[in-house]
Amino acid sequence: MRRRAIGLGLLAFGAVLLGAALAVRLFLDPTMVRLPLDQTGSTTVADENGSYFDQETLEQRQGYVEANVVVQGDPGSDEATDDVAVWVSGTTITNEDHKVVTPPTEMVVCLDRHSAESVACDSAAINKEPADIQGLTVTFPLGTEPRDYEVWNSNIGASATAKYVGEEQLDGVTVYRFEQSIPEQVIDHKEVPSSFAGGSEAGNVTADVVFTNDRTFFVEPTSGMIVKATESPDIVLRGPDGATGVTILSADLAPEDAAVAAKVADAADTRDQITLVRSTLPLVLVVLGVVLVAVGLFLRLRTGRRSPGRHEVPAQPEPATVSQAS
């Protein structure tokens, strides 16, 4: 009787664990493994020998250039939901004197919390102007795949393909490398002195603002976090006759090694938490559940083959017949 009760208990507990494993995948995984509403973060990339046009002295200068990107979630937004996150991203480029090199950019984007793709919303804007932002923006998706992605660039107001190149190791962590090349294109028009646009005549001309950029992203695939990003923006003025004038900005921007190491460690921690919820915990629950169910069934089957109880009297054998001698 006692063995039977233990068997039933193990069967019940094993079934509960198997149900818990299913619940983790169906309910806990979608709830926990998604982009946060209250995201906070920042990234700084720099070039010790960049080239830029000094807006105050109106001279071409060579020296330190720094780009700082700050990302802040807006959980109080009306458009922030269980499926959509609203993030605000600001980019400021300054020189060694902390003076602005190019106008700051602010982007408000709504992101699918599972795919990290931008979704249409009323909040989406570039510098407070409504914008149709498409593709990925400041993060890659949870569970990034080894394939090409479309990544947004605010300078051209469109997304461009970031091609998957391969796997690499950064501080012992596997990352995917993506490369995005934005060909030369006109992004604006400005009225400037002719000399700024490569001309020699007096007066002003309408010059094209020409932009090109090469970007490289190193992404920890499980978390989708960009642990390192480099880029080489080049912005020049081009006059009506096709002559190239001043360089508004030209730099090879990259983060410091210490900053990369910190982001790699953060991504590895996030990766481990996701793996725990998606794989480790369900697997442990399934294994324990199966073992307990198997033991419970074994005890139940053993109980079915009962031997005589201690209060049962075994049948007495009939006395042997003894033949008598004649």
Side-chain angles (χ1 to χ4, degrees), residues 53 55 58 188-199 201-209 236-240 243 245-246 248:
F53 188 68
Q55 302 291 333
L58 301 181
D188 199 1
H189 305 281
K190 289 185 178 297
E191 185 175 349
V192 298
S194 175
S195 59
F196 288 5
E201 66 274 15
N204 292 344
V205 297
T206 299
D208 294 334
V209 180
V236 299
L237 292 181
R238 187 161 295 160
V246 300
I248 297 175

Side-chain angles (χ1 to χ4, degrees), residues 54-311:
D54 192 311
Q55 302 291 333
E56 292 185 353
T57 63
L58 301 181
E59 296 177 342
Q60 195 76 54
R61 292 185 59 183
Q62 202 86 11
Y64 181 81
V65 177
E66 174 184 287
N68 184 254
V69 181
V70 177
V71 179
Q72 180 68 53
D74 185 9
S77 171
D78 292 338
E79 294 182 287
T81 67
D82 290 341
D83 298 316
V84 176
V86 179
W87 288 6
V88 181
S89 172
T91 302
T92 306
I93 300 177
T94 56
N95 61 16
E96 59 186 354
D97 299 322
H98 306 292
K99 294 181 179 179
V100 173
V101 172
T102 60
T105 301
E106 181 185 83
M107 175 178 67
V108 182
V109 62
C110 294
L111 303 176
D112 184 299
R113 297 181 68 186
H114 299 286
S115 70
E117 293 276 350
S118 58
V119 296
C121 67
D122 293 336
S123 300
I126 302 291
N127 293 335
K128 303 189 183 305
E129 292 293 329
D132 180 19
I133 303 171
Q134 300 179 0
L136 303 178
T137 51
V138 293
T139 186
F140 275 64
L142 299 162
T144 295
E145 300 175 4
R147 63 174 179 85
D148 297 349
Y149 286 91
E150 296 299 308
V151 179
W152 177 262
N153 185 282
S154 293
N155 287 285
I156 64 174
S159 58
T161 302
K163 296 182 178 180
Y164 172 73
V165 177
E167 287 188 6
E168 295 189 16
Q169 294 287 316
L170 280 180
D171 293 339
V173 173
T174 299
V175 297
Y176 289 169
R177 179 184 178 123
F178 298 90
E179 294 180 355
Q180 181 191 59
S181 181
I182 298 175
E184 186 177 279
Q185 54 192 282
V186 177
I187 60 172
D188 199 1
H189 305 281
K190 289 185 178 297
E191 185 175 349
V192 298
S194 175
S195 59
F196 288 5
S200 57
E201 66 274 15
N204 292 344
V205 297
T206 299
D208 294 334
V209 180
V210 181
F211 173 84
T212 185
N213 195 6
D214 290 317
R215 306 169 78 189
T216 303
F217 306 97
F218 298 85
V219 180
E220 194 291 306
T222 302
S223 65
M225 294 176 62
I226 301 172
V227 297
K228 179 181 178 180
T230 64
E231 59 181 303
S232 301
D234 190 79
I235 310 172
V236 299
L237 292 181
R238 187 161 295 160
D241 58 357
T244 298
V246 300
T247 296
I248 297 175
L249 173 66
S250 181
D252 295 320
L253 302 170
E256 294 183 349
D257 291 343
V260 173
K263 284 190 175 295
V264 168
D266 190 21
D269 183 55
T270 302
R271 175 203 61 194
D272 293 343
Q273 294 178 38
I274 293 173
T275 301
L276 175 66
V277 173
R278 281 190 167 168
S279 304
T280 307
L281 184 56
L283 180 61
V284 169
L285 291 173
V286 166
V287 171
L288 288 177
V290 169
V291 169
L292 292 179
V293 167
V295 173
L297 285 173
F298 174 75
L299 293 177
R300 289 282 293 128
L301 291 174
R302 285 279 304 224
T303 304
R305 300 190 189 122
R306 298 182 57 196
S307 55
R310 52 181 187 172
H311 297 299

